[in-house]
Amino acid sequence: MDVKNPIINDSRRLIRQLSDAAANRIAAGEVVERPSSAIKELVENSIDAGASRIDISYSDGGKTLIRVKDDGHGIAENQLLLALSRHATSKIDGTDLLNIHTFGFRGEALPSMGAVGRLTITSRIQDVAMGATITVDGGLIGRVRPAPSTIGTVVELRDLFHATPARLKFLRTDRAEAGAISDVIKRLAMSEPFKAFTLRDVTGGGDGRIIFRADPETGDLFDAMYGRLSKVLGVDFAKNSFRVDADRDGMTLTGYASLPTYSKGSSISQFIFVNGRSVKDKNLLSALRAAYSDFLHSGRYPVVALFIECDFERVDVNVHPAKAEVRFREPGTARGLVISGLRHALAEEGHRASSTIADATLGAFKKSGDINNSSNLRMSQSWSMEVPRHHPDQVGFSEIQNDFSSRQHDNENIIEQISNKLGAARAQIHENYILSQTVDGLVIVDQHAAHERLVYEKLKNQMAMNGVSAQTLLIPEIIELSEQDAAELMEISGELNGFGLNIENFGGNSIIVRETPAILGEVNAKNLILDILDELKDWSQSNIVKEKLDAILSRVACHGSIRSGRIMKVEEMNALLREMEATPHSGQCNHGRPTYVELKLNDIEKLFGRT
Ligand code: ADP
Ligand code: MG
């Protein structure tokens, strides 16, 4: 054979029709990637069949056995063979691929699994006395035989990939595969709160070990959702989350999202569902980030379970083999809905700080049983008559002073203040923490974090109304920067001007600051500029101007805030508490840390063994 010219004899150039078995194995590569993806397909089939109870078992991370049992409508005996053939489905007739109401529609899952493992389906429909069963092993289909069965379907998949050993090598440890299975089941359980799910590890035989179990929830959809999410994501999430219920242009968003003070270091606990399907959609995740950008540093992620529902025609689910991605016809509507729905709900919930923080604090109190170790709990009242210097436009002190005079008649009447949510200020400790007495407990406020938030909210309001008023510096400040920093700053000088921060190029790499935001009072212009540059670097990834500007504004706010270390008078403290109550989002600082924690008298009494 002529090696240089193999065309004539090279059989690789001939086009052939692949056998069904080969085609199914190839399809299996896309649909059944690992045990968890097989389980996903099987449980979705059970849901499509209208099941109300779904029991899932696996052995050895699903590698040797997967079993899914449901009480759905079942498969008739004369349909069993069809269910195993490729592109055979009862769910669509192929005329309208944009109007798909079921999880499945491709008719690929069962034949794919039969091609790469040993698959047995046993099923019984209503009104027949006996069920039927069929087995397919490595693509070889057996006979349909009668089998005793309750109404519903049991699908058993043994020795996944035994027919394609090369793929076995790509499986991870049993533990990792089992983890992926749990994740799949939890996602499905979240989207179907009225159905019961049980997940068992039956490695070694017997009834095995229950890994996850969710009984059917009752009540209206929100009650059911709440119950199920507490089960799946934990009671802490449920306690520290708020309800989301919004709509836009016929698209709805429901679910629960965590307070910014209850966030995680990764996006692993962000669950988004589109028409009941769990999706990993970059566009939606970025909308989520935008919605929380006011409250969380990049690198912190809220925990959410959000459900978007819309007409089936408005979203294409047929763009990913495992249907993990979807394509919206109007991506802008979905993004806008997520951002505005969450922002709105956050505004209403903004006063709340995470309860886990109070719990953790209590835990810390409990641990310090040794009185010699409790020096950090000693309290000292720091009262001071020092009058702060401030600009008339400055937030906080001026208003606090005004507030003070109007309140003087009350003599700071604790009884009157105490009925407020954040109570009556009683002391300042360590020159940063306000201790306040509420009707049924104690509140500890981080004065700097709280004031920073108030200044930020004020700045944003002013910006939205008519720009932030500027204060001219008596002596403009010249700041020497690197060439790149100077250029970057000048690029946004127009926007900064809107913040009341007026900068100009001063030749070379220098800039001159002529005006600073009046609201901040006297600030160190150089530090302010350097901070803004830091913020710009953090956000270099983002090309969304609004997000950048908000982040800068939040940095700017820090400069106008009451520093820790500043001694406050009780009137000032009370004024701060009242302002917090009146300001949205005041439960957390601009970085998602809480501005206050609350301990109930009940809990305090428990600490002392009184209850
Ligand atoms: P698809 O779900 O895309 O239709 P599958 O290969 O997963 O394709 O299933 C083929 C068909 O078998 C389904 O359309 C359905 O009619 C039937 N089927 C599969 N699983 C079940 C089940 N658990 N209960 C009832 N019918 C089922
Ligand atoms: Mg299916």
Side-chain angles (χ1 to χ4, degrees), residues 41 45 91 104 109:
E41 292 292 333
N45 277 347
K91 298 171 193 175

Side-chain angles (χ1 to χ4, degrees), residues 3 21 42 58 70 110 135 238 274 302 354 376 397 406 490 501 553:
V3 184
L42 294 177
Y58 64 84
D70 68 51
L110 294 181
T135 295
V274 176
S354 162
N376 52 346
F397 302 150
S406 67
M490 287 316 296
L501 184 60
L553 213 54

Side-chain angles (χ1 to χ4, degrees), residues 87 89-101 105-106 313 318:
H87 304 312
T89 177
S90 58
K91 298 171 193 175
I92 56 168
D93 64 7
T95 53
D96 189 355
L97 290 184
L98 284 178
N99 199 359
I100 293 171
H101 295 243
F105 57 87
R106 294 207 182 104
E313 296 89 38
N318 198 13

Side-chain angles (χ1 to χ4, degrees), residues 223-503:
D223 289 345
M225 227 186 239
Y226 189 81
R228 185 52 61 89
L229 294 176
S230 320
K231 184 89 220 164
V232 178
L233 297 176
V235 178
D236 273 352
F237 166 73
K239 272 204 282 188
N240 292 294
S241 63
F242 52 87
R243 183 197 273 213
V244 181
D245 187 5
D247 59 273
R248 173 183 270 215
D249 302 336
M251 208 177 261
T252 65
L253 176 74
T254 54
Y256 286 84
S258 72
L259 293 168
T261 41
Y262 184 84
S263 63
K264 302 242 154 151
S266 82
S267 61
I268 194 155
S269 301
Q270 303 192 323
F271 302 95
I272 303 182
F273 301 82
V274 176
N275 287 343
R277 249 177 237 286
S278 166
V279 297
K280 290 174 183 152
D281 184 288
K282 282 201 202 92
N283 183 30
L284 294 176
L285 289 177
S286 118
L288 200 58
R289 197 176 49 120
Y292 277 81
S293 61
D294 254 10
F295 316 104
L296 286 179
H297 257 328
S298 47
R300 297 300 301 175
Y301 299 81
V303 180
V304 305
L306 293 172
F307 302 85
I308 297 174
E309 306 280 337
C310 61
D311 277 349
F312 290 90
E313 296 89 38
R314 294 172 74 177
V315 52
D316 189 353
V317 294
N318 198 13
V319 292
H320 185 268
K323 305 169 202 116
E325 283 166 23
V326 292
R327 191 177 294 142
F328 284 98
R329 238 202 271 163
E330 318 110 279
T333 307
R335 183 181 166 85
L337 174 63
V338 169
I339 296 180
S340 66
L342 279 168
R343 285 216 171 136
H344 188 79
L346 274 163
E348 284 182 356
E349 295 294 326
H351 294 295
R352 280 170 64 198
S354 162
S355 74
T356 45
I357 291 165
D359 290 348
T361 312
L362 262 185
F365 269 116
K366 274 178 197 149
K367 272 180 226 138
S368 57
D370 179 359
I371 197 140
N372 296 324
N373 278 338
S374 59
S375 59
N376 52 346
L377 297 183
R378 235 184 291 130
M379 296 183 190
S380 66
Q381 287 196 333
S382 324
W383 302 84
S384 155
M385 292 307 290
E386 180 208 14
V387 178
R389 285 184 328 138
H390 61 273
H391 182 273
D393 230 9
Q394 188 175 352
V395 184
F397 302 150
S398 54
E399 286 162 28
I400 287 163
Q401 295 292 311
N402 293 340
D403 229 40
F404 173 37
S405 41
S406 67
R407 278 170 206 276
Q408 256 181 337
H409 298 294
D410 310 339
N411 198 18
E412 290 308 304
N413 187 336
I414 291 169
I415 291 170
E416 188 205 294
Q417 303 277 351
I418 209 169
S419 59
N420 291 303
K421 187 171 181 300
L422 294 179
R426 302 301 301 269
Q428 182 196 33
I429 59 168
H430 295 295
E431 285 151 19
N432 186 46
Y433 299 99
I434 299 170
L435 292 190
S436 154
Q437 182 176 342
T438 61
V439 174
D440 60 350
L442 157 77
V443 163
I444 308 175
V445 176
D446 177 334
Q447 69 185 40
H448 175 64
H451 197 245
E452 186 178 280
R453 185 81 216 178
L454 298 181
V455 174
Y456 178 47
E457 292 298 330
K458 282 245 155 87
L459 273 169
K460 273 200 305 186
N461 265 344
Q462 283 198 6
M463 274 291 286
M465 305 285 276
N466 44 15
V468 177
S469 57
Q471 174 185 1
T472 308
L473 297 182
L474 283 179
I475 307 164
E477 182 147 357
I478 297 157
I479 303 170
E480 185 88 33
L481 297 167
S482 74
E483 188 181 332
Q484 199 197 340
D485 284 354
E488 237 172 83
L489 215 52
M490 287 316 296
E491 227 171 76
I492 57 158
S493 61
E495 280 88 4
L496 293 180
N497 212 18
F499 291 174
L501 184 60
N502 183 307
I503 59 168

